Amino acid sequence: MSEDDDFTFHSMFSDKVSINNDGFVSPDGLCWVSVLSCLLLACSYVGSLYVWRSELPRDHPAVIKRRFTSVLIVSALSPVFVWAWKHYTGVRPGPSLLALMGIRLEGVLAAATLPLVLTMALFLGPLTQLALDSPWGLRDGIKLLFDPWFWALCVNDMRWLRNQVVAPLTEELVFRACMLPMLVPCAGPTTAIFICPLFFGVAHFHHVIELLRFRQVSVSGIFLSAVFQFSYTAVFGAYTAFIFIRTGHLVGPVLCHSFCNYMGFPALSAALDHPQRLPILCCYLLGVVLFLLLFFPATDPFFYGSSPICSLAGSARDVCS
């Protein structure tokens, strides 16, 4: 887009702007383009899972391998959406496209550790419960982590590879690294944190299709499960969007996503019935307290350098500082 095109784009909306609750001023048309771009990107991601026709369930290795192919292609092409949006809207950010998507070296070590430690603090209760129920001692568990045969078995397990590597990497790349740079100039960083997860949550509704196909539970149970999953994924999506904006890095959300996929939703009912219920519940409570206390300090931009995506926020930089 030329300078004349930039002028035309901005002058089209110079007399008609909207102001959101963050106090961030944005052209009306920019928001429509941003939302439609995110919607198209989400549909492309979910649609790529169904380009392969199969009567096999989603956990079958053959289905997983085929979906790896299609979803990795869409994820590799997802930066093109951001590039096309940038040129169409005339938005001219200072940082590079990769930096806006959280792919940069400054502060990367902190970004790979602090958000993960923060998330592990929240899961202190489930981690304690897992340790108490583990057949291995602490020493054996540490040895296992450094055993190459253990990791070889993991990598050869298609479900593990999907849940711990491919899904976290591709979903965070598409739903955070590519969508947030398009939403922040329109809505401001705070509002974008809560809009972005809606695409992520709705994208998980596709599981309903497979549950209905195989009728593993009742129809009412399927939709209740879908509502719960939407709520859980939307809250989690807001959390990783917050981490992405505060740190300006993709690696933190990816590692937190992988960890949460491994842990699953906390099994509170099992904790209540556990023989050592009291110490486990105390760890649950302590974990929540630590998480709330460390929520802002552990994501302080001081540790990560200036967040590139915040350069798109104009004066609405409350989350960025």
Side-chain angles (χ1 to χ4, degrees):
M1 185 178 287
S2 65
E3 292 184 4
D4 291 336
D5 291 333
D6 286 351
F7 175 79
T8 302
F9 175 82
H10 291 295
S11 63
M12 282 172 62
F13 304 104
S14 60
D15 59 340
K16 187 170 63 174
V17 297
S18 58
I19 303 177
N20 61 20
N21 292 332
D22 289 338
F24 185 77
V25 181
S26 59
D28 291 337
L30 177 59
C31 286
W32 282 108
V33 173
S34 299
V35 170
L36 289 175
S37 298
C38 291
L39 184 61
L40 180 60
L41 188 53
C43 290
S44 299
Y45 185 91
V46 176
S48 72
L49 301 174
Y50 293 94
V51 296
W52 310 99
R53 294 198 174 193
S54 175
E55 297 301 320
L56 298 171
R58 65 185 293 266
D59 287 336
H60 193 281
V63 174
I64 294 175
K65 287 179 182 179
R66 289 173 182 172
R67 289 183 168 185
F68 277 0
T69 303
S70 54
V71 83
L72 286 171
I73 291 172
V74 170
S75 300
L77 294 174
S78 59
V80 176
F81 283 79
V82 187
W83 178 85
W85 165 87
K86 184 168 66 101
H87 282 266
Y88 180 78
T89 58
V91 173
R92 290 290 183 267
S96 67
L97 182 62
L98 287 178
L100 286 176
M101 294 171 57
I103 302 172
R104 61 194 184 101
L105 290 177
E106 183 185 8
V108 68
L109 291 178
T113 53
L114 294 180
L116 182 59
V117 170
L118 176 65
T119 308
M120 291 176 72
L122 179 62
F123 280 80
L124 182 60
L127 285 171
T128 303
Q129 188 174 343
L130 188 65
L132 291 174
D133 294 339
S134 174
W136 301 298
L138 179 61
R139 182 178 298 178
D140 292 334
I142 293 173
K143 285 182 179 179
L144 189 66
L145 288 176
F146 291 95
D147 186 349
W149 289 107
F150 168 74
W151 292 108
L153 288 173
C154 290
V155 171
N156 287 317
D157 183 347
M158 289 295 104
R159 291 181 63 182
W160 184 91
L161 204 58
R162 177 192 63 192
N163 296 338
Q164 310 309 135
V165 180
V166 177
L169 178 60
T170 59
E171 289 179 2
E172 293 305 319
L173 175 64
V174 170
F175 291 94
R176 247 66 71 186
C178 288
M179 289 190 183
L180 282 169
M182 294 190 286
L183 291 171
V184 166
C186 160
T190 302
T191 306
I193 285 172
F194 295 100
I195 294 175
C196 190
L198 299 180
F199 297 101
F200 183 59
V202 170
H204 282 75
F205 265 111
H206 75 91
H207 293 307
V208 174
I209 299 172
E210 302 197 11
L211 290 174
L212 287 171
R213 278 178 58 197
F214 295 100
R215 288 297 176 93
Q216 296 170 335
V217 293
S218 65
V219 174
S220 60
I222 289 172
F223 282 99
L224 283 174
S225 174
V227 170
F228 173 78
Q229 189 172 38
F230 170 79
S231 304
Y232 177 62
T233 53
V235 171
F236 174 77
Y239 172 59
T240 54
F242 175 84
I243 290 174
F244 182 85
I245 289 179
R246 290 275 289 179
T247 66
H249 280 276
L250 177 61
V251 63
V254 169
L255 292 176
C256 292
H257 194 148
S258 180
F259 172 77
C260 290
N261 277 1
Y262 174 76
M263 294 300 297
F265 193 80
L268 285 170
S269 59
L272 291 172
D273 294 332
H274 200 279
Q276 301 192 49
R277 176 177 58 187
L278 184 59
I280 290 175
L281 292 178
C282 287
C283 287
Y284 267 86
L285 180 59
L286 178 60
V288 172
V289 171
L290 287 173
F291 177 77
L292 294 175
L293 289 175
L294 297 173
F295 189 60
F296 283 99
T299 59
D300 194 318
F302 169 79
F303 298 110
Y304 315 101
S306 178
S307 178
I309 195 172
C310 288
S311 65
L312 299 172
S315 59
R317 301 170 64 91
D318 47 341
V319 178
C320 298
S321 58

